[in-house]
Amino acid sequence: MASQVEPHSAAAAIIEDEERLLAKVEARAAMGPANGSSRASRVVAEDYDRELIDLRDAVAEAKPEDLAPLVEQMSRLAAIRARLGGSQTLPIDLASPYFAHMVLLEGGEPREVLVGKRGFIDRQHGIQIVDWRNAPISQVYYRYEEG
């Protein structure tokens, strides 16, 4: 059974802050990707794709002793490329853009991080949603308690 929150209490202030943050995120996410961000992601992805093709060609012509480092580098680039494409190309769910809100202190300065199913970053509007599957910072949410 849920308990009622007293108006003008500390808990009510937290709820109001969270509702304001959610409205801000929903409004910004509804506008779509940040100007140029999807283009920049495509350019970076295309660079990785081009480099992977170059490595593939190098593997085809390489001496046996050069194969291991080339394949290792190719594996790393493929993993980075897959990760890059994962959370940046799929839109966030507007009905539930994030499920956790953390305020971290870094050098005495607060840093707000939201954890969600998809990543979304807009530094201009102060919104940073990290993909819980890919971002190491999201592990803080699972490993530690409040405080």
Side-chain angles (χ1 to χ4, degrees):
M1 184 166 187
S3 61
Q4 294 291 325
V5 174
E6 294 294 322
H8 309 293
S9 66
I14 290 171
I15 292 170
E16 288 173 17
D17 287 342
E18 290 298 326
E19 287 175 342
R20 266 194 300 276
L21 176 62
L22 178 60
K24 175 182 167 182
V25 169
E26 288 174 334
R28 176 57 195 92
M31 293 188 313
N35 291 339
S37 70
S38 61
R39 182 176 182 274
S41 297
R42 276 195 312 271
V43 170
V44 170
E46 288 171 5
D47 290 344
Y48 280 115
D49 291 343
R50 199 170 18 261
E51 194 167 343
L52 281 166
I53 290 169
D54 291 344
L55 280 170
R56 181 197 64 194
D57 294 343
V59 165
E61 300 171 359
K63 297 176 185 174
E65 61 268 14
D66 296 333
L67 282 177
L70 286 172
V71 170
E72 183 179 338
Q73 184 174 353
M74 197 172 182
S75 296
R76 278 193 212 137
L77 282 176
I80 292 169
R81 173 60 177 96
R83 192 169 177 186
L84 174 69
S87 64
Q88 290 186 354
T89 57
L90 297 173
I92 63 173
D93 179 6
L94 293 177
S96 179
Y98 61 92
F99 56 82
H101 175 201
M102 299 185 294
V103 180
L104 309 172
L105 290 177
E106 289 184 335
E109 295 292 319
R111 174 181 168 207
E112 291 192 13
V113 177
L114 306 172
V115 180
K117 296 176 196 169
R118 299 275 179 243
F120 182 87
I121 296 175
D122 185 345
R123 296 192 198 297
Q124 183 179 5
H125 291 94
I127 298 171
Q128 180 178 4
I129 302 174
V130 298
D131 185 335
W132 70 274
R133 298 164 295 182
N134 297 329
I137 190 75
S138 66
Q139 295 305 311
V140 171
Y141 174 73
Y142 295 104
R143 291 185 182 157
Y144 301 99
E145 294 182 22
E146 188 176 329

